[in-house]
């Protein structure tokens, strides 16, 4: 340290610098409880606790801070007596309240109490509160976020079901039980409107019922479950209820509602993530000061938390080491690694394309076999029906293993490895649904001849929406069966084997870890299918709700009995945001097929509410053309190009403004941080100078007795003298 | 409102509700827990403000605190005498600050007190090493401990004095995303 900086070195010989620091206003807020409580009893000018008495008296002399806002009493860092004292002081300072003021205060207070009691009741009604509390205590906040995410999805599905029920199913149910004037969808009797359905005639064998239940055919096909049943168009009572319009608007509403709800939930996490993404991100401080989960009450969970923190710290140290190694890479090494990464990425893409091709082939094969309708073995029939689902599940099981193997060769830092593998798995899962739908679409819109007279293949698929609905229904059922089967037939035996068998296999396999990312991907996959399938199968949200409730209890039991928490801990804050981002990706992906099929594909002429329209979307222009002129021209203006362009321009302007604002805020934060650093150095510099000056004064007059109980007196130099300890 | 309880007067309950983040029901439940810790010491009737303190040894055995590596420091930071003997006021205060509803600034103040083992208004290297050893139960090698402490101070220290003052600590905590969710005890 060179000469000008020597002044920053704390001088051990000056005992008073510490006392000076205690008097600074910034330390007033940090007073220790015991010292202030003793000072509030107004002790005399004793020694020993000098700084405290000093500061205590100073606190009393100061009025309420003029510059700061008054914080609520409960947010003050003082002991209970002081808070009550402060409350009394504020009441007195507020002046004597007249009858009117007093009454208002009382009303305000009782309203606040009422609100708190209301919130109390509401939170006790929260679904699964006790279960989640138990899980939090045993496994910490990482796994808790998975279960609260599951609870959120249950509620979302239930609301979607209510929406479809009230607007689509309820009118149909009412009309079937009462006598209203109904207009059915007009069919022009062409060959496109022939629809027999696959209901079984004659004597039905029992196992055929099982097949029907599992694949939505047979007795399930002509029920409220599928799109094809809603053949009404208008219901006339006091007003005319337009069922096709209601159906379409309910679909759009549930998509928008999901979007808004998810964005609202992710707003808090997004704000925190923005703060986190600064250059000087502090990973070590986080782990040391905010790493231990104070909610843990279980001894096992505490032990595991400790080992996971240890693991995290070691990983961080390892990352530092790797970062240093990466910075020292030579040019040759870099070229080699980039070439390797390019080759491996090509390999990954090849694997993905191969999987998608398999799904396509399986779908085409399954459709063709179903169309042939040969009577064969019961199990073979089921396998053929479920072939696309089986292939998708197999692909989603194998590809993560391949990705995990490949990423170790690509030589990234550990944290990036985890994130990149996860992104690949997300893409694989969600894109496989897209491929399935695409292959279905190809099948539906391709006919034997070159051109389809009805716009779709009416011979094979007289009611193609019901067929798509059946495929979605099969996917949901199969997904649930797989989750249940894996839990019951793999996890429980694994626990038994690991506990009671001492062979090498058991040791290598180890106890089950609750892998949060994989489980989250599973339920996001199920939710994406639900979003796509609700248009074709209005009861699907109800099925999904029941499925997720069962999954909750299954996972909870399996977690508590079989699992130990993962050694790769998943931080609560970033994980919640991650779940919602993946869910948003699923929603975006789900919107594409729904929008394409509503707007592009010819709705089937034999079933459903959209028989007399060319596409499902056409109901909206038709209704708009029947509205009064003013409203019609307003809606036309909204849909015109002029409005769209100006809306787009205004949105862009808004976005640029917000981006500029964010940049300005970042600069201000940097400046403030530099100022903080400067202030700290200034403070220490001034204190050193002050102590030096005091020592000079003291040295100049050694015969004077040390000043005691001497506060706030000005001397010639204009410095405040501080009480000095008596020199013995 | 319904049930008549004789543990506190209404004014006392009102004062507690104003000074903490708890509702009436929760305060009564807390009193039940406090009484359970030392049934012969803690009276059921608090209307005349008895001066009763439960010793540290009984409080750190509560199920909520038992597994916490900082349980002694937590209780000491909220006690008036610094030895960890809590009166009911201190007890309620402690759980109020550690509850979900306490704001970040308030929690940061008390977190700083908890991690400051030698009570000198700074978190110095020794405090950090003690914190780390309590967290990991001394399973890191000494070199690793030194390395982690150095990196932590490097990340958070703004004024360059090689220890963390409250300003440094608060600045660091405001950017720690997990702090609010981990620094919280459910009771």
């Amino acid at each position: 340290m060179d000469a000008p900086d020597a002044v920053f070195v704390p001088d051990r010989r000056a005992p008073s610098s510490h006392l000076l620091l205690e008097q600074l206003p910034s330390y007033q807020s940090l007073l220790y409880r015991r010292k202030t409580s003793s000072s509030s009893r107004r002790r005399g000018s004793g020694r020993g606790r000098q700084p405290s008495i000093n500061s205590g008296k100073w606190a009393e002399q100061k009025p309420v801070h003029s510059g700061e806002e008054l914080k609520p009493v409960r947010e003050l860092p003082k002991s209970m007596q002081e808070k009550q004292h402060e409350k009394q002081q504020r009441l007195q300072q507020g002046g004597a309240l007249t009858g009117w003021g007093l009454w208002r205060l009382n009303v305000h207070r009782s309203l606040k109490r009422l609100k708190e009691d209301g919130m109390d009741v509401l939170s006790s009604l929260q679904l699964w509160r006790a279960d989640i509390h138990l899980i939090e205590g045993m496994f910490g906040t990482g796994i808790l976020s998975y279960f609260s995410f599951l609870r959120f999805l249950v509620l979302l599905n239930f609301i979607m079901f209510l929406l479809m029920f009230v607007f689509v199913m309820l009118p149909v149910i009412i009309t079937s039980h009462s006598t209203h004037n109904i207009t059915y969808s007009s069919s022009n009797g062409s060959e496109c409107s022939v629809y027999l359905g696959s209901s079984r005639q004659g004597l039905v064998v029992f196992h055929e019922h099982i097949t029907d239940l599992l694949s939505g055919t047979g007795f399930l096909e002509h029920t409220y479950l599928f799109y094809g049943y809603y053949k009404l168009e208008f219901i006339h009572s006091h007003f005319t209820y337009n069922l096709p319009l209601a159906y379409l608007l309910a679909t759009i509403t549930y998509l928008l509602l999901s979007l808004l709800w998810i964005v609202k939930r992710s707003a808090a996490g997004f704000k925190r993530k923005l703060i986190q993404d600064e250059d000087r991100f502090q990973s070590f401080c986080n782990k040391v000061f905010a790493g231990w989960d104070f909610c843990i009450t279980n001894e096992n969970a505490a032990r595991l938390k400790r080992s996971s923190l240890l693991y995290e710290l070691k990983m961080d140290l390892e990352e530092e080491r790797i970062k240093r190694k990466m910075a020292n890479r030579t040019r040759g090494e870099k070229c080699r690694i980039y070439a390797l990464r390019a080759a491996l990425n090509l390999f990954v893409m090849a694997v993905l394309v191969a999987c998608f091709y398999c799904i396509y082939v399986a779908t085409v094969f399954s459709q063709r076999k179903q169309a042939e309708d040969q009577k064969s073995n019961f199990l073979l029939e089921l396998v053929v029906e479920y072939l696309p689902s089986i292939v998708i599940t197999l692909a989603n099981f194998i590809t993560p293993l391949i990705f995990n193997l490949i990423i170790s060769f690509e030589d990234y830092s550990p944290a990036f490895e985890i994130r990149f593998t996860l992104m690949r798995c997300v893409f694989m899962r969600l894109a496989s649904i897209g491929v399935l739908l695409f292959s279905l679409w190809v099948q539906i819109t391709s006919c034997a001849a070159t051109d389809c007279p009805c716009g779709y293949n009416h011979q094979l698929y007289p009611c193609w929406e019901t067929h798509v609905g059946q495929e979605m229904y099969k996917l949901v059922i199969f997904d649930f069966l797989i989750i249940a089967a894996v839990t019951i037939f793999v996890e429980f035996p694994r626990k038994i084997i690991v506990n009671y068998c001492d062979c090498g296999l058991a040791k290598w396999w180890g106890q089950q870890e609750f892998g949060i990312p994989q489980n989250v991907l599973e339920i996001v996959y199920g939710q994406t299918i639900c979003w796509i399938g609700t248009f074709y199968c209005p009861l699907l949200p109800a099925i999904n709700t029941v499925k997720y409730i069962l999954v909750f209890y299954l996972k909870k039991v399996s977690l508590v009995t079989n699992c130990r928490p993962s050694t790769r801990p998943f931080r609560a804050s970033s994980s919640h945001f991650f779940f919602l981002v993946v869910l948003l990706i699923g929603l975006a992906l789900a919107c594409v097929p729904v929008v394409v099929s509503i707007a592009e594909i010819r709705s089937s002429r034999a079933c459903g509410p959209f028989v007399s329209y060319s596409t499902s979307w056409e109901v909206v222009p038709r209704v708009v053309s029947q509205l009064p002129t003013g409203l019609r021209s307003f809606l036309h203006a909204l849909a015109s190009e002029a409005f769209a362009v100006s809306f787009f321009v205004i949105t862009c302007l808004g976005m640029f403004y917000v981006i500029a604002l964010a940049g300005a805020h970042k600069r201000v934060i940097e400046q403030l941080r530099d100022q903080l650093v400067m202030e700290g150095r200034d403070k220490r510099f001034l204190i050193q100078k002050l102590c030096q000056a005091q020592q000079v004064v003291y040295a100049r007059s050694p015969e004077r007795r040390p000043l005691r109980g001497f506060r706030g007196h000005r001397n010639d130099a204009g410095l405040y003298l501080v009480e000095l300890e008596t020199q013995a | 409102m319904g049930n008549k309880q004789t543990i506190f007067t209404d004014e006392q309950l009102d004062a507690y509700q104003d000074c903490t983040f708890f509702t009436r029901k929760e305060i009564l439940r807390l009193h039940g827990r406090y009484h359970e810790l030392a049934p012969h010491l803690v009276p059921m009737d608090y209307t005349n403000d008895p001066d009763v303190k439960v010793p540290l040894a009984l409080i750190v055995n509560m199920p909520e605190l038992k597994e916490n590596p900082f349980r002694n420091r937590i209780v000491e930071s909220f006690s008036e005498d610094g030895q960890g003997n809590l009166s009911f006021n201190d007890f309620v205060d402690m759980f109020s600050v550690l509850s979900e509803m306490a704001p970040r600034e308030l929690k940061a103040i008390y977190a700083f007190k908890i991690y400051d083992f030698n009570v000198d208004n700074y978190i110095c290297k020794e405090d950090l090493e003690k914190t780390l050893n309590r967290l990991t139960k001394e399973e890191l090698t000494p070199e690793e401990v030194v390395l982690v402490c150095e990196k932590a101070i490097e990340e958070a220290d703004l004024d360059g004095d090689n220890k963390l003052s409250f300003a440094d600590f608060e600045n660091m905590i405001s950017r720690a995303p997990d702090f609010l969710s981990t620094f919280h005890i459910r009771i």
Side-chain angles (χ1 to χ4, degrees):
Chain A
M1 203 176 293
D2 44 7
D5 283 286
V7 75
F8 293 136
V9 178
D11 201 346
R12 301 269 170 236
R13 288 168 297 147
S16 46
S17 64
H18 197 59
L19 307 173
L20 272 172
L21 278 175
E22 297 270 333
Q23 291 180 41
L24 288 171
S26 57
Y27 282 104
Q28 297 295 312
S29 58
L30 253 200
L31 295 172
Y32 275 86
R33 302 168 67 93
R34 47 193 159 132
K35 292 179 184 172
T36 46
S37 59
S38 64
S39 76
S40 73
R41 278 182 224 132
R42 294 175 192 265
R43 272 232 228 120
S45 58
R47 287 186 281 137
R49 298 236 191 93
Q50 289 150 348
S52 57
I53 297 183
N54 237 350
S55 19
K57 290 269 178 165
W58 282 72
E60 284 163 28
Q61 284 170 16
K62 260 191 291 161
V64 174
H65 309 257
S66 46
E68 307 167 8
E69 278 175 17
L70 269 184
K71 282 204 274 195
V73 173
R74 53 171 74 160
E75 291 184 17
L76 295 172
K78 299 181 179 167
S79 73
M80 194 67 69
Q81 279 106 331
E82 282 150 31
K83 281 195 252 191
Q84 293 179 354
H85 186 66
E86 172 79 22
K87 190 176 95 158
Q88 295 302 321
Q89 254 188 345
R90 284 191 194 175
L91 274 178
Q92 282 168 11
Q93 277 174 6
L97 289 165
T98 59
W100 172 249
L102 201 64
W103 180 79
R104 248 194 15 199
L105 190 69
N106 281 335
V107 163
H108 179 74
R109 190 180 297 171
S110 41
L111 276 177
K112 205 160 62 134
R113 298 271 183 271
L114 201 67
K115 191 174 97 155
E116 279 173 6
D117 287 337
M119 300 280 282
D120 210 14
V121 167
L122 222 66
S123 74
S124 65
L125 284 178
Q126 221 180 20
L127 189 62
W128 293 320
R129 196 159 159 259
D131 294 297
I132 292 190
H133 191 163
L134 178 72
I135 292 173
E136 185 178 9
M138 285 179 68
F139 287 94
T141 40
I143 291 187
L144 164 78
S145 55
Y146 167 79
F147 283 94
S148 63
F149 181 64
L150 194 52
R151 175 173 60 186
F152 162 64
L153 282 182
V154 166
L155 287 173
L156 182 65
N157 279 309
F158 187 66
I159 301 287
M160 276 167 61
F161 163 67
L162 279 181
L163 208 62
M164 290 305 266
F165 182 74
V166 166
F167 290 108
V168 174
M169 291 171 57
L170 201 57
V172 178
I173 294 176
I174 289 178
T175 54
S176 66
H177 289 289
S178 59
T179 52
H180 286 276
N181 209 351
I182 308 174
T183 314
Y184 283 96
S185 323
S186 54
S187 51
N188 49 10
S190 70
E191 56 166 1
C192 299
S193 16
V194 171
Y195 180 35
L196 293 169
S198 59
S199 44
R200 319 223 180 222
Q201 268 92 21
L203 207 59
V204 180
V205 188
F206 177 66
H207 68 73
E208 287 180 355
H209 276 300
I210 306 267
T211 318
D212 288 343
L213 187 67
L214 287 176
S215 45
T217 48
F219 73 93
L220 275 181
E221 190 163 336
H222 293 280
T223 57
Y224 289 102
L225 189 57
F226 292 114
Y227 169 98
Y229 190 71
Y230 301 89
K231 220 168 170 229
L232 274 57
E233 192 164 347
F234 294 108
I235 303 174
H236 306 282
S237 77
H238 305 290
F239 52 89
T240 308
Y241 190 79
N242 190 341
L243 189 70
L245 184 67
Y247 201 104
L248 189 67
L249 288 181
T251 305
I252 297 178
T253 309
Y254 80 68
L255 286 172
L256 276 177
L257 182 73
S258 310
L259 177 70
L260 287 172
W261 202 346
I262 295 174
V263 166
K264 178 172 158 303
R265 260 180 96 95
S266 61
F270 185 60
K271 268 187 239 165
R272 247 178 277 151
K273 188 132 176 56
L274 277 181
I275 298 178
Q276 198 176 316
D277 266 350
E278 293 199 1
D279 307 325
R280 275 182 66 187
F281 180 52
Q282 46 199 32
S283 47
F284 284 96
C285 277
N286 252 342
K287 294 189 179 79
V288 173
F289 293 118
W292 183 264
D293 201 343
F294 280 40
C295 272
I296 291 184
T297 52
N298 181 325
E299 190 189 324
N300 276 331
R303 190 165 31 92
L304 289 157
K305 182 74 181 179
R306 205 174 299 133
S307 59
S308 82
L309 258 177
L310 196 65
Y311 180 84
E312 262 197 83
L313 283 169
K314 291 207 166 147
M315 288 314 293
D316 271 351
L317 287 171
E318 176 78 15
E319 263 214 47
E320 284 288 311
R321 201 183 55 83
I322 287 185
K323 252 190 247 175
R324 244 176 285 151
K325 191 179 81 153
M326 288 205 318
N328 294 342
R329 267 200 206 132
T330 62
R331 273 267 291 273
E333 275 182 21
K334 275 194 200 165
C335 286
R336 189 182 63 85
I337 288 200
Y338 286 149
L340 185 63
R341 280 185 195 167
L344 285 174
N345 274 316
L346 277 175
F347 177 65
V348 162
M349 269 197 273
V351 166
L352 286 176
V353 166
C355 286
F356 293 157
Y357 183 69
C358 287
I359 296 173
Y360 177 78
V361 163
T363 312
V364 167
F365 178 75
S366 161
Q367 295 296 309
R368 212 169 295 153
K369 278 288 177 197
Q370 281 175 41
E372 282 169 27
D373 202 23
Q374 281 172 352
K375 285 295 166 218
S376 56
N377 192 2
F378 157 63
L379 252 116
L380 209 60
E381 218 177 288
L382 261 184
V383 167
V384 161
E385 294 260 1
Y386 274 86
L387 197 60
S389 318
I390 295 175
V391 172
I392 290 180
T393 308
L394 270 178
N396 283 322
F397 178 69
I398 296 178
T399 42
L401 300 172
I402 298 181
F403 292 156
N404 274 332
L405 190 61
I406 288 181
I407 199 92
S408 52
F409 292 113
E410 292 190 60
D411 208 11
Y412 290 116
S413 64
F416 187 73
E417 271 185 12
I418 298 176
R419 254 183 280 156
F420 199 43
T421 317
L422 215 54
M423 277 293 115
R424 283 179 174 158
C425 292
V426 166
F427 178 70
M428 174 67 210
R429 275 240 184 213
L430 297 179
S432 50
I433 308 176
V435 169
L436 173 69
L437 285 170
F438 175 74
S439 42
L440 271 179
W441 179 57
V442 162
Q443 289 291 295
I444 289 172
T445 51
S446 69
C447 309
T450 43
D451 201 16
C452 296
C454 302
Y456 58 92
N457 193 341
H458 63 274
Q459 280 140 355
L460 288 176
Y461 309 107
C463 188
W464 63 266
E465 284 103 341
T466 300
H467 194 81
V468 174
Q470 283 167 344
E471 291 294 324
M472 297 289 116
Y473 173 81
K474 279 189 265 188
L475 276 178
V476 166
I477 298 281
F478 190 71
D479 187 41
F480 174 65
L481 286 177
I482 285 289
I483 293 179
V486 165
T487 310
I488 297 177
F489 295 120
V490 174
E491 292 186 9
F492 279 93
R494 179 173 178 172
K495 166 88 180 214
I496 295 176
I497 290 178
V498 168
N499 269 356
Y500 295 114
C501 174
D502 231 357
C503 55
L505 177 71
K507 288 260 178 352
W508 172 76
W509 206 6
Q511 209 179 357
Q512 175 81 25
E513 280 181 6
F514 192 86
I516 296 179
Q518 293 86 339
N519 281 293
V520 167
L521 276 183
E522 257 175 18
I523 54 182
V524 169
Y525 168 76
Q527 185 59 42
T528 309
I529 300 175
C530 179
W531 274 320
I532 298 176
T534 302
F535 182 70
Y536 307 105
C537 175
L539 268 182
L540 202 59
I543 299 175
N544 225 26
T545 310
V546 170
K547 169 184 162 192
Y548 280 159
I549 291 178
L550 291 174
V551 164
F552 181 92
Y553 285 113
L554 257 169
K555 289 286 177 190
K556 177 177 163 255
V557 167
S558 164
L559 177 75
V560 167
T561 10
N562 303 340
C563 296
R564 61 185 172 99
S566 159
T567 46
R568 271 210 243 118
F570 217 72
R571 246 192 267 124
S573 58
S574 59
S575 60
H576 200 67
F577 183 65
F578 159 73
F579 300 165
L580 292 168
V581 163
V582 175
L583 197 61
L584 268 179
I585 296 177
L587 179 62
L589 191 78
C591 282
V592 171
V594 175
V595 164
V596 163
S597 71
I598 287 179
E600 290 291 321
I601 305 184
R602 179 79 178 73
S603 53
S604 67
R605 304 250 185 107
C607 59
F610 296 103
V611 166
S612 46
Y613 304 98
S614 59
T615 61
S616 311
W617 177 252
E618 206 207 318
V619 70
V620 171
R622 214 183 275 190
V623 166
V624 166
S625 63
Q626 288 164 1
L627 285 175
T629 334
L631 201 55
R632 194 184 341 149
S633 42
F634 175 68
L635 285 172
H636 278 307
L638 273 185
S640 64
E641 288 94 358
F643 180 77
V645 166
S646 36
F647 185 69
F648 177 69
V649 166
I650 293 178
T651 313
C652 279
L653 283 176
M655 199 172 66
F656 286 135
Y657 168 70
V658 168
I659 291 178
L661 202 64
H665 280 183
K666 264 206 176 141
R667 271 197 303 273
V668 167
I669 290 178
E670 285 292 316
Q671 281 177 1
L672 284 173
R673 199 180 302 149
D674 289 337
Q675 261 184 18
L676 259 179
V677 175
M678 270 300 127
E679 293 294 321
R681 302 181 97 193
D682 283 348
K683 188 163 68 178
R684 280 182 306 124
F685 176 76
L686 285 172
I687 287 179
Q688 294 306 317
K689 284 287 175 202
L690 190 60
C691 295
Q692 285 174 4
Q694 281 177 350
Q695 279 181 340
V696 163
V697 165
Y698 183 64
R700 253 193 240 141
S701 48
E703 69 276 11
R704 271 223 234 137
R705 293 195 65 228
L707 303 154
R708 246 202 299 152
F710 213 13
R711 273 172 245 111
H713 278 225
R714 285 181 180 274
N715 70 1
D716 302 14
L719 297 166
Y720 280 98
L721 283 177
V722 181
E723 282 185 3
L724 297 173
E725 302 256 5
T726 341
Q727 313 294 321
Chain B
M1 284 234 189
N3 34 4
K4 294 241 157 138
Q5 45 83 25
T6 51
I7 310 177
F8 297 105
T9 63
D10 277 332
E11 292 87 38
Q12 280 178 316
L13 274 180
D14 269 343
Y16 278 127
Q17 274 193 281
D18 279 334
C19 295
T20 67
F21 294 96
F22 290 125
T23 61
R24 293 169 94 89
K25 243 193 340 180
E26 288 167 338
I27 291 170
L28 292 170
R29 197 158 41 91
L30 273 172
H31 180 266
R33 295 297 304 272
Y34 189 64
H35 179 81
E36 267 173 37
L37 292 173
H40 304 294
L41 199 56
V42 174
M44 279 306 285
D45 187 358
Y46 253 77
T47 47
N48 44 4
D49 249 342
D51 186 19
V52 170
K53 292 202 186 196
V54 176
L56 174 77
L58 291 174
I59 300 180
V60 296
N61 280 328
M62 283 180 74
E64 284 85 358
L65 289 176
K66 199 161 46 107
E67 298 295 334
N68 198 316
F70 304 110
R71 53 187 179 271
N72 286 327
R73 277 302 304 153
I74 296 175
V75 179
E76 279 168 22
S77 316
F78 283 94
S79 67
E80 269 187 50
D81 53 8
Q83 302 300 320
N85 304 310
L86 296 184
S87 67
F88 181 64
N89 279 342
D90 301 329
F91 185 78
V92 168
D93 218 8
M94 176 168 78
F95 283 108
S96 164
V97 169
L98 286 167
S99 71
E100 272 178 307
M101 291 143 308
R104 180 189 285 269
E105 297 80 24
L106 187 61
K107 288 194 184 202
I109 293 176
Y110 282 101
F112 185 75
K113 289 190 194 182
I114 290 175
Y115 293 127
D116 184 9
F117 281 81
N118 51 8
V119 194
D120 65 346
N121 266 345
Y122 285 103
I123 296 184
C124 52
K125 270 224 178 85
E126 290 78 33
D127 291 332
L128 259 180
E129 283 179 10
K130 277 211 197 106
T131 307
L132 199 57
N133 283 327
R134 294 252 179 128
L135 266 181
T136 59
K137 258 211 181 139
E138 317 211 349
E139 283 187 32
L140 282 175
T141 67
E143 301 88 41
E144 285 174 338
V145 168
V146 165
L147 208 57
V148 172
C149 292
E150 262 174 39
K151 286 224 74 76
I153 290 192
E154 187 187 306
E155 282 169 357
D157 190 16
L158 288 178
D159 46 17
D161 56 357
N162 259 351
K163 44 192 178 169
L164 302 182
S165 66
F166 180 64
D168 301 331
F169 184 78
E170 194 176 21
N171 182 40
M172 183 268 296
I173 281 290
S174 69
R175 294 185 298 144
D178 297 325
F179 178 64
L180 270 181
S181 56
T182 53
F183 197 73
H184 133 239
I185 293 187
R186 275 221 194 148
I187 185 159

